[in-house]
Amino acid sequence: MKLRTRKTEDQAAWFDSPEFEAAYHCALPLGSLWAPERTEFRLWAPTAGRVRLRLFREGTGGAPLEELDLEPGKRGLWSAEAEGDLHGVYYDYLVTVEGLCRRTADPYARACGLNGERSMVVDLRRTDPEGWETDRAPARKAETVIYEVHVKDFSWDPACGVKPEWRGRFKALTQEGTSLHGDGAHPTGLDYLKGLGITHVQLMPVFDYGSVDEGGSPEQFNWGYDPVNYNVPEGSYSTDPAKGEVRIRELKEAVQALHRAGLRVVMDVVYNHTYRLDSWLWRTVPWYYVRQWPDGKTSNGSGCGCDLATERSMCGQYILDSVLYWAEEYHMDGFRFDLMGLLDTELMNSIRRALDRRYGPGEKLLLGEPWAADRAAVRPGTLLADKENLSRLDSGIAAFCDSTRDAVKGSLFSPDARGLANGGGLDAEQLRCCLRGWAGEGFPAKAPSQTVSYLSAHDDWTLWDRLALTLDPGAGFDAATPALLRANRFAAAVCFSCQGQLFLLSGEEFGRTKQGVQNTYNAPLALNRLDWERAWRFEELADYYRGLLALRQRLPGLCDKSPKAGERFSPALVPANGCAVLELDNAGNSPWRRLLLAYNAGDGEANFPLPPGNWELLVDGSSSWKWKSPEAAEGHFTLPPVSAAFFGLCCKDYEI
Ligand code: CA
């Protein structure tokens, strides 16, 4: 079958057709396949008329060491072999399509040089840190608590005590024993994470992205949602971006150190678009990987103008292979899909199945944003992995729950909107839905396993800023007023009593501020950096978070992720305006067989009777550690304004 030159619409239909897939789908391993005596180069380029390989000594500059033509084979595959041990040799391709020759790096590359401009042949075993072969993820906990970290902003603040040459880099995640200004008393960095009660660190994009010049100033900052090389780590986080194997080894060291610290690692992946339309994928097979409207305009569901056509088989295969590669080679324990609502349900389910087959059911976490920035030009019949289609997704794929987020702090799209925690009042039925993770009959999620309950992520206002803007706009963002602290504690208590998997932006627990700026993706480090002095100035707030998270692991009623988990809840009682009380079956491995959760979002005290029984106060509005030495509670309980209280009904003979 020969490809003809077609008009855009025809070409898109051709790429979408079953005939194209039948003729050109290629399931072989692609990229440069290193072996001690020779390296095989394989590129999928079904529309190419010629593919030429160029080998280089360096990742940038210099004349080619050697050039050779790849041979066309079946199913659009081009290949060539080069003799010798090519580890550390850089390369690119000249791909000619319809008479136009374009230079491209290898979209399947596993290593690259400075700024990812050229690919590098790599013997991956030479990139393994010491002890890598015995690296294992720590055991899973009853509840998943994900903490979102940006590699650079995590350790940029000199107060964190990380070695200057490691600040802002993967290496910072490996340094133990750091403390605030080195005082030895207030842990920072990795040591701080160990004591927080989180189970997973989610790394914002660590694949190679394009918005930071790897050879430029270390002061540059970007979140990194602009992929260039999907299967290679970002160079600006390494100590030497020009040497292809360094970034690989250093990311592995970071994963290894997090595992040793008892934490699993989730990788933020951006398979919905590329940095520019003119990507390596595009240069290799023009238009194949990109969604287009019938008039030829590119689909803009990502807001970046170059949505990937995940429903096309070789694009889906590319994404699946990439996820499996990070899981296998870098020991990643989970993946967070940026704008998952632009990926198709079939692909997401196939990723879930493939990971479950290799590593065991649910061993690798999958979560994503069940939305997109705009409508997308998908192949007819494609179902997107958005909120509407959650029921079509495997119950082991979780989605960020904007319903709970907005119920607690007000809708993001309306600056004045209030929620439970900032004066918006309490709707008992809505609260009950939040607590159940919006799962079960009549809800988009089939079970709480599909729900990520959260209040803040890198996007939009931090929780603290949102509360400050709505509750006390004159106070600024640095004043820890009692009203703000109280609202923050209440918000955390609500979120951490929801049945979904838990998630928070790093620093939420110490009132992280970005001075009211919503979208700081390329804002200066001064605004984005995690402020380690603040971590200890807001120690009491952080301690409230710690107590809630430690308790959570002992509450099977909330950790239950089954479709029937919601049935553990009683209907909500509404003893007073702005107040709700719910009882919950807590059967499982716990000192308490029932829980009573009480919330007061009003501005006055609320009084309610405790049911008969041997109740203990576990958490109230000022302390989340009461459960460590619980006090008996009976009769009536008074709940101060803007606070929560949790009670447990004792099981006899159970040691905490
Ligand atoms: Ca880069």
Side-chain angles (χ1 to χ4, degrees):
M1 214 171 316
K2 189 153 172 56
L3 280 181
R4 285 151 288 171
T5 306
R6 286 158 181 263
K7 286 190 303 187
T8 309
E9 193 173 348
D10 289 354
Q11 189 189 42
W14 172 233
F15 285 150
D16 279 337
S17 69
E19 291 78 19
F20 183 87
E21 189 175 321
Y24 293 111
H25 186 84
C26 175
L28 293 171
L30 299 166
S32 54
L33 310 175
W34 176 90
E37 292 89 28
R38 71 188 60 81
T39 290
E40 188 179 352
F41 294 84
R42 290 184 185 166
L43 188 69
W44 186 74
T47 59
R50 187 183 183 197
V51 180
R52 196 160 170 78
L53 167 70
R54 305 192 302 173
L55 302 176
F56 298 87
R57 194 179 308 281
E58 303 291 340
T60 48
L65 296 168
E66 194 184 338
E67 295 192 28
L68 63 158
D69 281 315
L70 271 65
E71 296 293 323
K74 289 181 181 163
R75 301 190 158 270
L77 182 70
W78 292 75
S79 60
E81 274 190 2
E83 297 296 316
D85 176 359
L86 265 56
H87 172 78
V89 170
Y90 294 85
Y91 68 100
D92 63 12
Y93 291 116
L94 300 174
V95 178
T96 305
V97 177
E98 292 175 359
L100 272 177
C101 177
R102 299 180 180 93
R103 187 200 81 84
T104 180
D106 183 357
Y108 300 91
R110 290 163 171 193
C112 67
L114 192 73
N115 287 322
E117 281 294 315
R118 283 181 193 152
S119 309
M120 190 190 95
V121 178
V122 62
D123 167 14
L124 285 161
R125 296 291 63 80
R126 285 186 236 181
T127 67
D128 291 345
E130 210 183 316
W132 185 242
E133 60 290 348
T134 57
D135 172 69
R136 296 286 178 275
R140 281 152 82 182
K141 300 259 172 66
E143 187 59 85
T144 296
V145 186
I146 305 166
Y147 192 72
E148 187 184 36
V149 163
H150 184 281
V151 172
K152 194 167 226 172
D153 76 32
F154 181 69
S155 61
W156 188 255
D157 180 3
C160 73
V162 164
K163 288 183 199 176
E165 63 274 27
W166 286 2
R167 278 174 43 218
R169 305 188 196 276
F170 293 132
K171 276 286 198 181
L173 290 164
T174 69
Q175 192 176 342
E176 290 184 290
T178 59
S179 56
L180 191 66
H181 298 295
D183 69 359
H186 303 93
T188 58
L190 188 63
D191 282 25
Y192 173 87
L193 297 181
K194 285 183 200 173
L196 202 51
I198 56 170
T199 60
H200 289 67
V201 166
Q202 177 174 303
L203 298 174
M204 285 169 70
V206 292
F207 52 71
D208 175 41
Y209 60 79
S211 52
V212 160
D213 176 5
E214 296 176 0
S217 158
E219 299 277 344
Q220 298 169 88
F221 180 85
N222 204 287
W223 282 344
Y225 292 87
D226 42 76
V228 173
N229 286 292
Y230 278 103
N231 299 313
V232 185
E234 163 58 17
S236 65
Y237 299 150
S238 77
T239 56
D240 189 350
K243 286 204 178 66
E245 60 182 82
V246 174
R247 59 178 80 190
I248 302 176
R249 181 178 300 110
E250 290 179 350
L251 175 54
K252 287 178 176 177
E253 285 172 347
V255 172
Q256 186 181 39
L258 288 163
H259 281 168
R260 282 180 181 155
L263 298 165
R264 291 189 166 211
V265 186
V266 174
M267 179 177 172
D268 195 338
V269 288
V270 189
Y271 296 114
N272 63 77
H273 74 278
T274 48
Y275 181 33
R276 296 196 178 94
L277 177 63
D278 182 20
S279 65
W280 306 143
L281 289 167
W282 194 91
R283 290 188 192 182
T284 303
V285 193
W287 299 112
Y288 176 79
Y289 295 96
V290 183
R291 287 179 181 148
Q292 285 174 277
W293 296 103
D295 65 2
K297 273 202 191 110
T298 52
S299 176
N300 195 22
S302 61
C304 303
C306 42
D307 304 349
L308 287 188
T310 67
E311 65 276 29
R312 289 182 179 156
S313 76
M314 282 303 282
C315 187
Q317 181 81 45
Y318 182 83
I319 295 168
L320 171 66
D321 288 347
S322 178
V323 170
L324 293 175
Y325 172 68
W326 287 106
E328 190 65 22
E329 186 62 32
Y330 288 84
H331 304 179
M332 291 293 175
D333 306 299
F335 299 89
R336 176 267 186 198
F337 286 77
D338 187 60
L339 301 184
M340 182 172 72
L342 284 176
L343 277 65
D344 59 290
T345 53
E346 208 177 308
L347 173 61
M348 288 306 303
N349 286 333
S350 72
I351 292 171
R352 179 72 276 170
R353 282 194 302 271
L355 289 171
D356 284 351
R357 258 196 315 272
R358 277 195 192 189
Y359 302 102
E363 187 61 22
K364 304 286 180 186
L365 211 56
L366 288 180
L367 63 154
E369 294 179 304
W371 50 71
D374 204 347
R375 271 185 337 117
V378 292
R379 180 166 70 191
T382 302
L383 294 171
L384 292 174
D386 54 21
K387 210 168 167 178
E388 203 176 313
N389 286 323
L390 263 187
S391 65
R392 296 173 194 272
L393 285 175
D394 189 288
S395 55
I397 299 172
F400 284 86
C401 179
D402 52 346
S403 306
T404 294
R405 179 195 70 196
D406 292 354
V408 175
K409 62 178 192 177
S411 167
L412 287 178
F413 301 106
S414 165
D416 299 322
R418 314 281 175 122
L420 269 172
N422 49 356
L426 183 150
D427 172 337
E429 203 38 46
Q430 184 196 49
L431 174 65
R432 193 165 176 271
C433 295
C434 293
L435 298 178
R436 293 174 47 161
W438 299 88
E441 217 172 312
F443 292 131
K446 291 185 280 195
S449 61
Q450 285 199 311
T451 304
V452 177
S453 301
Y454 77 115
L455 299 176
S456 72
H458 62 271
D459 280 316
D460 297 298
W461 290 291
T462 65
L463 175 61
W464 184 265
D465 286 354
R466 176 76 187 192
L467 295 174
L469 285 165
T470 47
L471 286 174
D472 198 354
F477 301 99
D478 298 320
T481 68
L484 278 177
L485 288 169
R486 184 178 68 169
N488 196 325
R489 288 193 301 268
F490 181 51
V494 174
C495 183
F496 294 161
S497 50
C498 293
Q499 282 178 325
Q501 312 188 60
L502 306 181
F503 177 100
L504 68 156
L505 171 68
S506 49
E508 182 195 300
E509 76 282 10
F510 55 77
R512 184 170 185 176
T513 178
K514 295 181 188 172
Q515 302 296 320
V517 181
Q518 264 179 292
N519 191 356
T520 61
Y521 75 99
N522 64 354
L525 271 156
L527 193 63
N528 274 298
R529 61 98 180 79
L530 210 53
D531 178 349
W532 286 101
E533 286 187 352
R534 194 177 175 101
W536 289 100
R537 201 161 67 245
F538 283 65
E539 184 181 359
E540 279 180 34
L541 181 60
D543 200 51
Y544 193 77
Y545 273 74
R546 279 189 206 101
L548 287 175
L549 292 176
L551 173 64
R552 173 70 176 229
Q553 299 292 352
R554 293 159 171 85
L555 303 181
L558 296 176
C559 297
D560 189 349
K561 295 289 172 280
S562 72
K564 292 196 175 298
E567 293 173 14
R568 287 172 177 263
F569 278 102
S570 68
L573 299 173
V574 185
N577 197 20
C579 185
V581 180
L582 294 97
E583 211 177 315
L584 168 71
D585 171 9
N586 193 44
N589 184 24
S590 174
W592 309 284
R593 55 195 168 87
R594 294 190 73 75
L595 299 173
L596 197 75
L597 309 177
Y599 307 87
N600 182 7
D603 48 16
E605 285 184 347
N607 204 276
F608 63 93
L610 286 165
N614 199 8
W615 292 95
E616 292 175 346
L617 176 64
L618 310 180
V619 167
D620 66 15
S622 53
S623 170
S624 58
W625 290 103
K626 299 259 179 204
W627 56 277
K628 278 295 219 182
S629 45
E631 301 160 15
E634 56 183 345
H636 275 71
F637 188 82
T638 301
L639 200 57
V642 193
S643 74
F646 303 161
F647 302 86
L649 187 66
C650 278
C651 302
K652 281 187 184 140
D653 310 323
Y654 197 107
E655 297 279 322
I656 296 182

